[in-house]
Structure formats: structure tokens, C-alpha cells
Amino acid sequence: MTEKILILDFGSQYTQLIARAVREANVYCEIIPCNKNFTFDDTIKGIILSGSPFSVNETNAPVVDIPAMINHVPVLGVCYGAQLTAKEFGGKVEKSNKREYGRAKLHKEKDDVLLNEVAEQSQVWMSHSDTITQLPEGFELLATTASIPVAAFKLSVEKRTLKNAKPLYGLQFHPEVYHSTDGKKIIRNFLADVCQCKQNWTPASFIQETVNALKKQIGDAHVIMALSGGVDSTVAATLISKAIGNRLHGIFVDNGVLRKNEFQSVLDTYKKIGLNVTGIDAKQRFYDALKGKTDPEEKRKTIGKLFIDVFQDEAKKISEAKFLGQGTIYPDVIESVSVHGPSVTIKSHHNVGGLPEKMHLSLVEPLRFLFKDEVRKVGLKSGVPAEMINRHPFPGPGLAIRILSDITEEKVLLLQQADDIFISSLKQHGLYNQVWQAAAILLPVKSVGVMGDERTYEYTVALRAVTSVDGMTADWAHLPYDFLAHVSGEIINNIRGINRVVYDISSKPPATIEWE
């Protein structure tokens, strides 16, 4: 079985970054709410306690039994986790005179395996309003900063030997963030040298373990799955197909608001990689249902409800299906978990509108513990073409939420052409992979233009391109002016119905990536 690190989440904004750092070190980890019960087994190699918006001195502050944990595995407390460790063992944690936030320089008081190869005066990132003012008896100070008397500490070896405890460490700073320059080294030291992890969790090992687990879970049954042409559903389907072959029945629906030629090109790719997929042309049903609707949420709901109807119509033809495959990934799972309650619920839009309950199907979610970049690595290793793996994110409602008015086939055709020119140009000029997401948006605005001797009154298209790591925040992409001029000229000269092109230079926040 795969060895793993448990990350107990106390509500920190940085918890996912801890998980990312652990995964980058080729060690599998899972995030669970701090108040969720779990049982120790041979797979758990260590525990990391996250930061938190709470103060350990608040009456309702979350608490865990750290002494019980170190009877089993090594523990590392980060920020709140370190303060909780100090307090629970009898130390003092007090309100700082000022909130300690930002860069600091780490001074090592003594050598320790946790700080191996960490440079003296290495930059670390602080984000807290409480300070450990006194360590508990039996703990050793490992590092300080100019303003923090206790930046890193551990339970002394003598104290551990006395109680037969495993190593226990605390860090007042955040090693997981980019600004802590040697932070990843500290995390790797904890994993490799303290927890003795083998660091052998790789895309290849994930694929092998997942395919074996899917064979066991599904048995001789059949699986149906809605495919979108996106990375997550494609990679999930590929893994399921490796396990059960043509007993996976993929359904790819043309909802009329896909990109230009996307329906056929995606079907061709699925055929190329050996997936059993049926394409359903339902364009007209979607256009009829969307007629006259301008509210973004109403458009989304209309598309979502009709998709379920179309999917169910097709699924009825596969009576032997007992499972529903989905491309749920780890951030979807984490966002549904509250540190104030142990229940885990996948966000509704990932659960295809309650289909499993309606159709009495069990879920198969082979990617539910992977981050997006890990999904891409697994996909490439599984044989999914790079052009599909490296595709920009594309919204479920498609171009319907990039047409800022009612949906008509004429408007969809206009936007498909403009979008195709923009995306193709990004690829031709070597800019596509420098951008997180790019889109053309058809505005509900017509303006006067002049073409030759003619006066025109046509639509305006906005181009949107952003850079981002995970889509949570994004900056507008600073594309070259000559490139934007080229795209504008291509759109206006080749698409009758559009006579003006503008470029969106808003960042997220305050703007969103999509306009609707």
C-alpha cells in the first residue's frame, strides 16, 4: 500500500500548498479536517498540522491530541500547529504587540536534521498574530528571527526516549509558501529523514495502483461517463478504460456552444486513444432551450438540466451500467470540506446534478486525490496526446457564457470564428502555453465602423487572456501589441458581423476570468 502523510487542516489558506510541497517530493498525502477521526495504520508515515485563522487562546480554538499522535508517527506543526504544540505541552503563547506578517531571516540556533542544508539567514514567511514566548519543558530551540524568539523547535531526544515518543517539531513560519526560500528543503527533510518516506509516489506508480483499484471496485460491471473533451474527464476515462476496456461507455454531447470544429476533433482524439465514446449531436435542442435567455445563471441551469436529460436518454440504452465515472479532482473535494464539520460533499456541479442518485449508480472517481498539474502528468504518462493535456480550461456552459446576451446560432458561429482565430494565433506565435486561459467574448454592443466606402454597424468582440497558477487568482496576460493588432485585423477582416475588437486588462480579483 502507498505510504502517506496526513495533513490536518485547521482552516489555513495555505493548507493546499503544504500538500503540493509534499506531493512534489514524491510522497502521497491527504488533507483531512482537524476534527475528523482517523485510525493509524502502517501506511501513515507522519502528520503535519496546518496553520489556522484561529488563535490557540480562543475558547473555541480547534485542538487535537498531539501526545497521542507522536506515540505512532512523527509530527510537524506549522504556525498554528506549532503554537498548539507549545501550548498543549505547557508552553506560553501570547498575543504579539503587532501582527507578524511577511519576510524574515532565519537564524539557526543549533544543527538539526530538519534544517539540514537550510542556509543561515534564509528567508522565511511569517503570517501570525500570536507568538510562542516560552517553550515547554523538554523542548529545544532550533531557530529564531530578529523579531521571533521561537521560530523552530523540537521535543528533545531525551524527553522522547523517556516516553518512547516519535519526533515532534514546530515551525512558527510557513515553509510551504514560495517566499520561504528553503521551505521545500525543510519539508523534504521532514519527509525523508524524519518520517523515513521512500519518496516513490510517481505518475507511473499512481497509474498502476489506480488501475488495479478500479478493477477491484468495478469488477465485471459497466461504467457510463459524460466526457467534455477537457483534461480531467479525458484522463479519468483513460484510467477507467485501462481497467475495464470497452465496458466504459463515454458520452460526448455537442451542446451547440463548443469551440469551432471541437465536436469532431475531440471524437477523433478519443478514437485515436482507444476510448469507447458515442457522440451525440444535440445542438438544436440546446438552441431551442436557450432561446431568449440572457441571465448567466439561467443559461447555466438550462444547459445543465438539458445535458442531464440528453445524458439520461443515452444512458438508458446501456442497461448493464452500474457505475458513473467522473473527473472530480482534489481541489473540488477539498473545497467541499469544512474544518467545522467532518462531512465531505463534492460540489454539486461536479456531481452532474445528482445523476448518481437518479440513476441508482455508484461513483467512480479515479482522480479525486490529484491536483490539476498531477492530472496532466498522469494523462501524459497514460498516453493522452499533449495537445489535449495542455488545453486551456474551458467552462462547462461553453460559449453560452461568453455571449453576453441571448444565444442564437448566428452569434455562436460569429464567436466560434473569432475564438478560433485568437486561439490559433496564440499557438502559431508560441504564446499559447504562456497563458493559463484565453477566450473571445461576444459583447451585446454594436458600434459604427467603416469598411471601404461602406458604413457598418456590427458586433464588438473582447479578447481575454490571463496568466495564473491555479485559476484562484489571475493577472491579465501582457500579450505583445503587434500580436494583438494581428488578431484584431484577422477577426475584423475575416468575420462579417464583427467590426471592433477590444482587449480586457482586468485582473482577478477584482474581476473574474470569465465575464459571466
Side-chain angles (χ1 to χ4, degrees), residues 183-471:
K184 300 287 179 68
K185 286 182 184 175
I186 295 172
I187 290 173
R188 282 188 169 92
N189 289 341
F190 177 70
L191 299 172
D193 299 325
V194 178
C195 298
Q196 302 291 302
C197 293
K198 294 187 180 71
Q199 295 181 272
N200 58 2
W201 191 70
T202 62
S205 67
F206 174 83
I207 292 167
Q208 184 179 356
E209 289 180 14
T210 301
V211 169
N212 289 338
L214 287 169
K215 286 178 179 176
K216 189 174 178 181
Q217 179 187 3
I218 298 167
D220 296 328
H222 289 238
V223 178
I224 55 172
M225 185 170 183
L227 298 177
S228 66
V231 176
D232 301 337
S233 65
T234 300
V235 176
T238 303
L239 291 173
I240 295 170
S241 181
K242 283 180 182 294
I244 64 170
N246 281 351
R247 285 186 287 121
L248 168 68
H249 305 267
I251 297 171
F252 180 43
V253 177
D254 186 351
N255 57 15
V257 284
L258 300 174
R259 284 180 155 147
K260 184 179 178 182
N261 299 328
E262 184 170 23
F263 183 60
Q264 192 56 52
S265 67
V266 168
L267 282 177
D268 290 344
T269 302
Y270 284 153
K271 185 177 180 180
K272 182 179 171 185
I273 59 180
L275 293 181
N276 176 26
V277 180
T278 302
I280 309 298
D281 182 353
K283 289 195 294 288
Q284 198 55 53
R285 285 182 68 177
F286 281 88
Y287 291 148
D288 292 344
L290 287 166
K291 188 174 181 180
K293 291 181 169 58
T294 59
D295 178 72
E297 194 58 28
E298 195 177 358
K299 285 194 270 187
R300 277 188 172 87
K301 287 179 178 175
T302 299
I303 290 170
K305 182 179 181 303
L306 184 52
F307 172 81
I308 289 174
D309 292 343
V310 173
F311 184 81
Q312 279 188 292
D313 289 345
E314 293 304 312
K316 284 173 188 171
K317 301 172 186 176
I318 310 163
S319 57
E320 60 268 58
K322 297 289 184 284
F323 292 89
L324 176 71
Q326 288 194 169
T328 310
I329 64 174
Y330 205 26
D332 306 326
V333 177
I334 295 168
E335 285 178 27
S336 307
V337 177
S338 167
V339 296
H340 302 293
S343 61
V344 179
T345 309
I346 305 301
K347 291 189 294 186
S348 61
H349 72 272
H350 284 280
N351 204 356
V352 196
L355 269 176
E357 292 80 14
K358 279 187 180 183
M359 303 172 70
H360 308 292
L361 299 172
S362 300
L363 281 177
V364 179
E365 299 170 304
L367 308 178
R368 64 178 282 113
F369 289 114
L370 291 189
F371 289 104
K372 190 78 170 187
D373 60 323
E374 294 169 335
V375 173
R376 289 194 169 102
K377 289 174 185 173
V378 166
L380 288 171
K381 195 74 178 174
S382 300
V384 180
E387 59 267 25
M388 182 166 269
I389 290 296
N390 296 323
R391 280 175 46 144
H392 291 173
F394 189 65
L399 300 181
I401 59 168
R402 293 178 179 173
I403 296 172
L404 307 192
S405 58
D406 62 316
I407 309 299
T408 65
E409 190 168 1
E410 175 204 7
K411 290 177 184 175
V412 171
L413 289 172
L414 282 177
L415 186 54
Q416 282 178 332
Q417 292 175 76
D419 177 81
D420 184 59
I421 288 172
F422 186 27
I423 299 300
S424 298
S425 298
L426 284 167
K427 291 176 179 176
Q428 288 161 11
H429 288 76
L431 295 168
Y432 185 81
N433 291 331
Q434 297 177 31
V435 172
W436 163 264
Q437 186 171 343
I441 297 98
L442 189 68
L443 304 185
V445 172
K446 284 190 174 182
S447 63
V448 175
V450 177
M451 291 190 181
D453 295 327
E454 289 185 32
R455 179 179 181 275
T456 61
Y457 189 64
E458 296 177 339
Y459 284 105
T460 301
V461 159
L463 303 181
R464 177 75 158 142
V466 298
T467 57
S468 179
V469 174
D470 53 14

Side-chain angles (χ1 to χ4, degrees), residues 421-422 425 428 484-495:
I421 288 172
F422 186 27
S425 298
Q428 288 161 11
L484 291 171
H486 163 77
V487 174
S488 176
E490 287 293 300
I491 289 173
I492 292 170
N493 292 333
N494 290 287
I495 306 175

